[in-house]
Amino acid sequence: MNGSAGAPHRPRLLVLRALGLGDLLAGVPALRALRRAFPDHETVLATPAELAPIVRASGAVDTLLPASAPGRAVPAITGWHGPPPRIAVDLHGRGPESMRALAALGPGRLLAFAAGDGPRWYAREHERD
């Protein structure tokens, strides 16, 4: 796992989950499901750099892209290099704000609440629901 996205020979799947340890652990089943659904993709996780050992131990991520913001704010995804991700997945939980951060990268497909054909965003709904 390295600190910047970039295996140009494989399509890349970018997941945004730039929160704390508990949120990362709660997201591991989704990360593993994405790995099974897109086995030919390089899975890149945008998350705080200090979570790298846990990300590595999950076995669900190829590359960590450092991303963080104070509290539960949506970080800018500034370390992305190369072509847009083939697929971007919003697991950050901030609805339209986090979806827009991923959409700004121009992914081929965006899986998120409040995105085109995605589910409607309800601000008060807990992510587990």
Side-chain angles (χ1 to χ4, degrees), residues 4-25:
S4 64
H9 62 285
R10 292 172 65 192
R12 294 184 292 167
L13 181 149
L14 173 63
V15 181
L16 175 60
R17 185 76 171 173
L19 300 164
L21 174 60
D23 293 294
L24 171 62
L25 294 175

Side-chain angles (χ1 to χ4, degrees), residues 31-89:
L31 291 167
R32 290 183 175 160
L34 288 166
R35 162 90 72 206
R36 287 189 306 274
F38 303 99
D40 62 325
H41 286 64
E42 175 191 4
T43 302
V44 180
L45 177 62
T47 201
E50 61 267 17
L51 297 177
I54 290 87
V55 171
R56 192 172 18 263
S58 77
V61 174
D62 297 306
T63 305
L64 185 141
L65 178 64
S68 63
R72 300 185 71 80
V74 178
I77 304 173
T78 58
W80 187 266
H81 301 289
R86 176 85 49 92
I87 301 167
V89 181

